[in-house]
Amino acid sequence: MGNESSKTSNLNAPLLSLQSDICNNNMDHSSSTSALEWPEEVAKRVKLIVPTKYDPYQDPENPSLCYIRFDKEKKKFIVASDFDTTTTQTILDVVDPEDIINIKVEIELLTGAPTSRGQEEHIVRNDGEEGEQHRATNEPPVDTLGDTYGRAILSIFAYPKRNLSEESILNSCGMKRKPEEPFRELSEGTTPEEAVKSQQLGHRHKHHRHFRVAPSEDMTDLSTLVQAMRRIVSPVDSTSLDERRLLIIINPVSGKKTAVDVYEKTVAPMLEEASVSYDFFITSYARHAEERMHQQPTNGELRDISDYSGIVSIGGDGVVHEILQGIHSRPDAKEILKNLKIGMVGAGTSNGLSATLAHASDEKFSPMDSAFMIAKGKTSAIDLSLYETTNKSYLSFLTFSWAYIADIDIESEAIRFMGFLRFDLWGALRVVTLRKYRAKFSYLPPTEDRSTGVTLPPLNQPLPTDEGWVYCEDDFVVFWASQVTHAGEQMHHSPPSKIDDGVFNIFIVRGNVSRFRLALIALTMAHGGQVDMPCVEFIQCTAYRLEPITMGSFNDLDGEVVEPGPIQAAVIPGAIQAFCNP
């Protein structure tokens, strides 16, 4: 049986949520941060206590203050010292709204009442970061209950790409701290080494900010500030949390069997930081995810997928294949695809969809980067396709292969324990024992209008002769139809592809290729270097039909074996929204 549980983001004591769901994660790409009104005077009135990491010599009785402003030209939040003048400004920190998944105002409960003596005691926040606590007296702490008071904490949950130390972050902002001059601005800028390093973008990493809000009798300004930051981070109309609920499908045996660990250590914490509600479901056997997509009874233990705003898989591409086939079997499949968002955190062997979405979004490939895109909530339409064999139809999101690639993918299952290396070893074997397959191949070249799909006649009926179809019969060594750029995290096999271009890009190598040439092609496929090589063709089409004459190879759809024999497919343009940010 599958294990499904519900999780709703919340804050444990001593933090009580004062304003959750600050950052709405559904994005409207038509909005522009430069056009938003920033309440400058209000922002200056909201005083924040400078964290001690920026002012190590802070006086507890008279702490330094700062405030947040927004640079419309650079589209960045700037944390500036409160004693700025019109001629100078000390920048303490810079935060890119694109890196933020949520902003919250919380109340931190402390024991005792604040006094002017301000003796400090460190406490640990619920996110593991240290805070400061002021005790009422100089007496040592006791185990008895005492009076409590609260203070507001402005928390910014961010995952930047620049993996630099705090000192380097300050340097990249044009300011370098010295112990004796903690807020002195540099006039000479940064060193060449620091300038180069500041431009190096890597994987996303956790770099949250927590600011104590200076005491105030009126919270109106703070609320206005947070709402303004919210509009910049996520410039859309407000949507309630009830409308943002994800179903997380976890395959614990995918790849190196790390999916559960990825969920617990990366995905779940980030979704909770982003105030995203979710349920999770752990698969127990093959096609379990497909069964979960079937309609659920109203009074059953499981929610129907129509109750969710998105589905996220943690595993390999096979989990996504099962999810789509389960949706495809439903009578309301078209409505489900219209309203549902899909995401993938790669924890399998190949992880083609996850790698493709990361590539399209200019992100690195890792569970952290994929989880960030999901928590951020931006989506883009991606193409699917409808495949038909003699007796069945399938929804596809990735690739179809036949001949050389299919033989490698399916036959190498015998050495699956070797991970991605299995493809290299079996590919070398298939170069030595070269196979050629003959087939009839028909395709429909794209027109200017790619917004609507093509309706194909049944496989047992001939294709139209007056609609521009191209026909050929030949020997094939490679036949690989793609809607994605990556068939795996280490396989950038189809550089011409885009996630929403409305076409297949079919990578073909015909039977006249030599073993030496095929070996060179195979060696360059990982980074797309085969595109301009001799014997390599890329054919664009909106629909095609393949009718094998030489039998023996597999019909390999999205990494899964489907019914052998003739097969045809048509693109479904922009069929579903995926968590990515092209």
Side-chain angles (χ1 to χ4, degrees):
M1 295 293 294
N3 178 15
E4 181 158 345
S5 298
S6 174
K7 290 285 185 179
T8 303
S9 62
N10 65 336
L11 296 168
N12 299 323
L15 294 176
L16 302 179
S17 177
L18 178 66
Q19 187 171 343
S20 62
D21 192 28
I22 292 297
C23 177
N24 187 299
N25 290 306
N26 294 313
M27 298 293 173
D28 180 359
H29 299 287
S30 63
S31 300
S32 171
T33 56
S34 61
L36 295 173
E37 291 296 328
W38 176 253
E40 185 172 353
E41 294 304 317
V42 170
K44 286 186 176 181
R45 290 199 297 267
V46 178
K47 306 301 183 184
L48 307 175
I49 297 176
V50 175
T52 54
K53 64 182 178 181
Y54 299 136
D55 183 7
Y57 306 105
Q58 193 174 97
D59 180 3
E61 295 186 8
N62 187 28
S64 301
L65 301 179
C66 60
Y67 70 98
I68 295 177
R69 67 178 180 86
F70 180 62
D71 188 317
K72 292 185 178 181
E73 181 179 351
K74 296 181 180 179
K75 298 182 180 178
K76 300 288 191 294
F77 292 123
I78 307 296
V79 181
S81 61
D82 192 41
F83 49 80
D84 296 338
T85 67
T86 57
T87 57
T88 64
Q89 183 178 64
T90 301
I91 298 175
L92 306 182
D93 198 4
V94 177
V95 188
D96 190 337
E98 290 297 314
D99 298 335
I100 298 173
I101 61 171
N102 205 352
I103 302 169
K104 294 180 182 178
V105 176
E106 304 159 329
I107 296 297
E108 189 172 43
L109 298 182
L110 304 173
T111 301
T115 68
S116 60
R117 300 184 65 87
Q119 182 178 350
E120 293 185 353
E121 171 189 348
H122 285 285
I123 64 171
V124 178
R125 298 168 51 86
N126 71 330
D127 55 14
E129 297 192 7
E130 286 191 347
E132 294 172 357
Q133 176 173 335
H134 292 275
R135 295 189 55 79
T137 69
N138 289 327
E139 296 299 323
V142 296
D143 294 332
T144 57
L145 295 176
D147 294 336
T148 62
Y149 72 98
R151 63 189 181 198
I153 304 293
L154 175 62
S155 296
I156 301 174
F157 298 93
Y159 288 85
K161 288 184 179 181
R162 285 186 170 86
N163 194 6
L164 307 176
S165 67
E166 292 174 1
E167 183 69 15
S168 296
I169 289 177
L170 296 176
N171 289 341
S172 68
C173 299
M175 188 273 285
K176 184 177 181 179
R177 288 187 292 112
K178 296 181 179 180
E180 67 276 13
E181 297 173 326
F183 297 128
R184 182 180 177 183
E185 184 178 6
L186 279 184
S187 59
E188 298 178 358
T190 61
T191 66
E193 292 79 13
E194 291 168 342
V196 171
K197 188 176 181 181
S198 69
Q199 298 303 315
Q200 293 175 345
L201 300 183
H203 292 281
R204 291 195 178 271
H205 66 288
K206 176 180 175 180
H207 186 58
H208 301 336
R209 281 77 161 178
H210 304 286
F211 296 98
R212 289 169 50 196
V213 181
S216 174
E217 295 182 358
D218 188 357
M219 301 290 284
T220 303
D221 284 346
L222 178 60
S223 177
T224 301
L225 171 66
V226 172
Q227 290 297 332
M229 296 178 71
R230 170 189 180 181
R231 288 192 297 270
I232 291 171
V233 169
S234 178
V236 295
D237 295 333
S238 298
T239 304
S240 69
L241 268 176
D242 292 339
E243 297 179 22
R244 295 175 51 243
R245 191 176 194 91
L246 303 180
L247 175 61
I248 314 295
I249 305 288
I250 306 168
N251 183 356
V253 298
S254 287
K256 297 181 181 179
K257 302 181 180 180
T258 61
V260 174
D261 193 57
V262 167
Y263 163 75
E264 292 177 345
K265 295 182 179 179
T266 301
V267 178
M270 198 179 299
L271 291 180
E272 291 176 7
E273 290 169 352
S275 296
V276 177
S277 299
Y278 61 92
D279 300 332
F280 68 92
F281 179 82
I282 301 177
T283 62
S284 302
Y285 48 84
R287 300 184 68 179
H288 200 181
E290 181 176 340
E291 292 178 8
R292 179 62 183 85
M293 297 301 103
H294 296 165
Q295 286 184 311
Q296 302 295 324
T298 305
N299 58 352
E301 295 182 359
L302 303 179
R303 290 173 180 254
D304 188 72
I305 61 170
S306 60
D307 295 334
Y308 294 97
S309 59
I311 295 179
V312 174
S313 71
I314 305 178
D317 293 312
V319 183
V320 183
H321 179 80
E322 288 189 18
I323 289 170
L324 289 180
Q325 304 329 304
I327 294 174
H328 183 50
S329 67
R330 295 173 58 117
D332 59 347
K334 185 177 294 186
E335 191 68 19
I336 292 293
L337 291 175
K338 178 182 177 181
N339 296 322
L340 203 63
K341 303 174 180 65
I342 192 167
M344 178 182 176
V345 179
T349 303
S350 296
N351 310 309
L353 178 61
S354 183
T356 294
L357 296 179
H359 177 76
S361 305
D362 196 25
E363 299 281 351
K364 299 290 185 181
F365 173 82
S366 76
M368 177 74 79
D369 296 89
S370 296
F372 171 82
M373 290 191 291
I374 294 164
K376 186 71 174 176
K378 289 186 177 181
T379 62
S380 178
I382 65 171
D383 300 332
L384 298 179
S385 54
L386 180 65
Y387 275 79
E388 296 175 288
T389 60
T390 303
N391 298 302
K392 196 171 181 181
S393 63
Y394 306 86
L395 274 181
S396 173
F397 66 99
L398 198 67
T399 67
F400 169 80
S401 62
W402 179 75
Y404 176 75
I405 298 299
D407 291 352
I408 294 172
D409 190 20
I410 305 305
E411 292 175 350
S412 68
E413 288 282 344
I415 54 172
R416 188 180 183 88
F417 65 91
M418 301 187 70
F420 203 83
L421 181 61
R422 80 186 219 218
F423 301 121
D424 296 329
L425 295 178
W426 215 268
L429 175 63
R430 281 289 157 254
V431 169
V432 175
T433 58
L434 184 60
R435 297 173 179 173
K436 301 177 183 180
Y437 298 92
R438 194 165 188 83
K440 294 179 181 178
F441 171 46
S442 310
Y443 64 93
L444 184 63
T447 60
E448 291 185 4
D449 182 12
R450 303 179 187 178
S451 60
T452 58
V454 177
T455 301
L456 296 175
L459 267 171
N460 59 3
Q461 296 182 13
L463 294 168
T465 59
D466 58 349
E467 295 182 5
W469 282 81
V470 178
Y471 304 89
C472 71
E473 179 179 322
D474 208 339
D475 293 327
F476 297 91
V477 172
V478 175
F479 186 97
W480 203 355
S482 299
Q483 295 180 271
V484 294
T485 54
H486 291 68
E489 59 187 270
Q490 302 177 41
M491 185 58 66
H492 188 192
H493 73 295
S494 185
S497 294
K498 292 182 173 57
I499 59 175
D500 60 349
D501 56 7
V503 299
F504 296 110
N505 279 278
I506 305 182
F507 170 21
I508 287 176
V509 176
R510 299 181 190 264
N512 59 351
V513 68
S514 67
R515 286 181 173 83
F516 176 73
R517 178 61 61 188
L518 181 60
L520 293 179
I521 293 170
L523 288 172
T524 60
M525 282 193 296
H527 53 80
Q530 84 282 9
V531 172
D532 297 321
M533 293 182 67
C535 299
V536 172
E537 301 173 55
F538 274 89
I539 295 176
Q540 282 198 342
C541 61
T542 55
Y544 72 91
R545 177 182 288 184
L546 182 69
E547 300 171 273
I549 297 173
T550 303
M551 305 305 291
S553 185
F554 303 91
N555 281 347
D556 181 4
L557 184 62
D558 300 340
E560 305 294 326
V561 179
V562 299
E563 183 182 5
I567 192 168
Q568 65 182 16
V571 176
I572 310 174
I576 194 169
Q577 295 286 319
F579 290 108
C580 62
N581 183 29

